[in-house]
Amino acid sequence: MIDWLRGFFGIDDDFVRPTPRWPSISDIVVAILLALISLALILTYAEIEEYAEYVDVWPNVLSLIIAAVLLSFRRVYPLTSMLLLTGVHFIISGVLWPLLSSTPGLQVMYFLSLYTAMAYAKRRDWLALATGAILLSMTIWLILADTYQRSVSPAEDLPTGWFYVSTLLLNAAYFGGAMWLGRNAWYQARDAATLVESRALVRAQGEQLAEQAVLQERLRIARDLHDSVAHHISLIGIQTAAARRAMESKPELAAEALIEVEDMSRRAVTELRTLLGSLRDVSPAAGSGDSLEALAELCDAASTEGLAVTYEVVGDPELAQDLSPTQGGALVRIAQEALTNVRRHSTASQARVVVRLGDATELEITDDGLPVPNTGGSGLGHVGMRERVTALGGTIDLGPRPSRGYRVHVRLPGKAAS
């Protein structure tokens, strides 16, 4: 049973579904429309004499406003919205204003809040606990309400067994349907993300195979270059030696030999330039002054729905020109690895990348998230970071922050081996 529940809520899964930073226009519109539907029905009840005494218009209006605000933030803070709306708001409204809580608009609000939590919650273990707490609270509330009703109602007005059967089935369909649909939506999002990662992996492997093919071709060209240059140098050596020996006795032969040396030298230089042109890497490198632009582009690309990445340069940007290509490339690769770890293994909604330029170059990546259970990686990313920094004579510090989040801090000396 426990294993089934862990699988149902996705507790052991390492997928983290991104959440928006602000409510969308559609969520706000839906919340307002549902609140207006309930408000119209409450105002209608207020005009009916037999229902009027159960309607408190202004408290009901305030309750609907609170429900609409909570529903608007259901994707931004899915767990909080579910606890406050489907949990606290539902019970308080049900106790104080039963007519209000039974309106279709509010019922749909409670349903959507529970559905969204199942579909978007990042901490799936907390989701299971929160959902269990809500279901337990609802059960206790229904039992207490029925007990009270049986104590104050005459025997002939007491509900029959079929009433309890229908109530049980209705609540099971209501809560179970919201949880099942939300759970399916979460799994669909996970499968879609897995498909995107698989496609990216296929593209990366294809690019890697292409790079390997290019490298093999360049090695062949390098061997040809070696053979060609060695051949020309050997001939030049022979002709030069002949010219030296014939310089005094047969100057005309020495001149011919030198002309041949000149011609072979030109041919060697021409071949050298041609082959080196084919070996030149035309792809842009993240080094020296370009490293700041590469970091800025990386932060822009990493700042997507669910994670806002800010980038800041402290100090004189001109000092970045003193960075070697290896240093600049290392900074970009480390920032890329750190931001990837934030997205995969943290609940963070914000990350910050800071470059400090001075006598030494520092790179700091921080975030505001909590670690997501069961998403620990192989640790090879951290090993790669340390190796890059150590090779350049720098230092690196990785670990959780004292308050919240994770921190990666790199310090490279003014001059490092490149």
Side-chain angles (χ1 to χ4, degrees):
M1 182 64 178
I2 294 178
D3 291 339
W4 182 86
L5 287 175
R6 296 181 71 89
F8 181 82
F9 286 98
I11 294 176
D12 298 323
D13 205 298
D14 60 358
F15 171 64
V16 177
R17 188 174 184 179
T19 54
R21 296 181 62 195
W22 301 102
S24 65
I25 299 298
S26 60
D27 287 342
I28 295 174
V29 171
V30 168
I32 293 175
L33 287 177
L34 292 174
L36 289 177
I37 292 173
S38 291
L39 177 61
L41 194 54
I42 285 297
L43 294 178
T44 301
Y45 286 149
E47 295 177 353
I48 301 176
E49 184 176 353
E50 58 183 306
Y51 294 121
E53 60 177 313
Y54 302 107
V55 176
D56 295 325
V57 176
W58 289 112
N60 286 178
V61 171
L62 178 60
S63 178
L64 288 173
I65 292 174
I66 294 174
V69 172
L70 291 175
L71 189 68
S72 298
F73 283 86
R74 61 191 175 96
R75 298 182 202 272
V76 183
Y77 305 110
L79 278 179
T80 303
S81 175
M82 180 187 68
L83 285 172
L84 294 179
L85 186 55
T86 308
V88 177
H89 191 282
F90 197 173
I91 293 176
I92 292 177
S93 297
V95 172
L96 299 179
W97 311 292
L99 282 179
L100 175 66
S101 64
S102 64
T103 57
L106 265 182
Q107 289 293 313
V108 174
M109 284 187 179
Y110 301 142
F111 184 92
L112 287 178
S113 180
L114 179 56
Y115 162 84
T116 305
M118 291 292 300
Y120 280 89
K122 295 181 178 180
R123 294 296 302 266
R124 309 303 291 184
D125 50 348
W126 291 5
L127 170 66
L129 292 175
T131 305
I134 289 176
L135 295 178
L136 179 61
S137 300
M138 292 293 175
T139 303
I140 295 174
W141 172 43
L142 290 175
I143 293 174
L144 292 177
D146 179 69
T147 302
Y148 173 77
Q149 185 67 29
R150 295 177 70 87
S151 65
V152 300
S153 299
E156 61 271 13
D157 294 336
L158 293 178
T160 64
W162 289 112
F163 169 80
Y164 296 107
V165 172
S166 63
T167 300
L168 177 63
L169 294 177
L170 180 62
N171 282 277
Y174 181 83
F175 290 101
M179 294 170 60
W180 182 263
L181 292 174
R183 176 252 192 196
N184 288 345
W186 185 80
Y187 273 104
Q188 288 174 1
R190 184 202 63 177
D191 294 342
T194 302
L195 180 60
V196 171
E197 291 182 359
S198 300
R199 290 175 177 173
L201 179 61
V202 171
R203 287 195 299 268
Q205 290 177 342
E207 293 174 357
Q208 184 178 8
L209 291 175
E211 290 176 359
Q212 290 177 351
V214 171
L215 179 60
Q216 292 176 356
E217 180 64 17
R218 287 179 175 179
L219 289 174
R220 185 190 65 78
I221 294 174
R223 288 193 294 268
D224 293 344
L225 176 62
H226 172 271
D227 295 341
S228 175
V229 172
H231 172 71
H232 285 297
I233 293 299
S234 298
L235 292 179
I236 288 173
I238 294 173
Q239 294 292 342
T240 302
R244 179 179 58 79
R245 292 170 182 169
M247 186 69 71
E248 295 181 359
S249 59
K250 297 181 179 179
E252 66 280 1
L253 292 178
E256 291 179 2
L258 291 175
I259 292 174
E260 187 67 22
V261 167
E262 180 182 5
D263 183 58
M264 284 187 291
S265 299
R266 287 173 179 168
R267 290 201 301 270
V269 170
T270 300
E271 289 187 22
L272 185 63
R273 287 177 177 173
T274 301
L275 292 174
L276 285 179
S278 63
L279 285 173
R280 183 173 294 130
D281 186 2
V282 297
S283 61
S288 64
D290 295 337
S291 59
L292 295 185
E293 295 182 6
L295 282 170
E297 293 175 358
L298 174 65
C299 292
D300 288 339
S303 185
T304 57
E305 183 180 8
L307 181 64
V309 181
T310 59
Y311 175 64
E312 180 182 0
V313 177
V314 178
D316 185 3
E318 294 296 328
L319 294 177
Q321 300 295 332
D322 297 333
L323 291 173
S324 68
T326 306
Q327 287 177 314
L331 293 179
V332 175
R333 296 295 180 264
I334 291 172
Q336 184 179 37
E337 178 69 22
L339 292 175
T340 300
N341 289 341
V342 171
R343 182 171 292 280
R344 289 180 177 176
H345 310 304
S346 170
T347 62
S349 60
Q350 293 184 349
R352 185 166 177 256
V353 178
V354 179
V355 177
R356 300 182 181 92
L357 300 172
D359 295 336
T361 301
E362 297 183 17
L363 172 67
E364 184 179 50
I365 302 100
T366 57
D367 65 81
D368 64 349
L370 294 172
V372 177
N374 306 309
T375 61
S378 63
L380 296 179
H382 284 183
V383 173
M385 291 185 195
R386 295 186 187 278
E387 289 181 349
R388 288 179 185 274
V389 175
T390 302
L392 295 173
T395 59
I396 183 170
D397 181 27
L398 308 100
R401 300 168 67 188
S403 57
R404 181 184 176 118
Y406 203 84
R407 176 176 180 262
V408 176
H409 180 260
V410 176
R411 188 179 189 276
L412 297 180
K415 293 184 179 180
S418 60

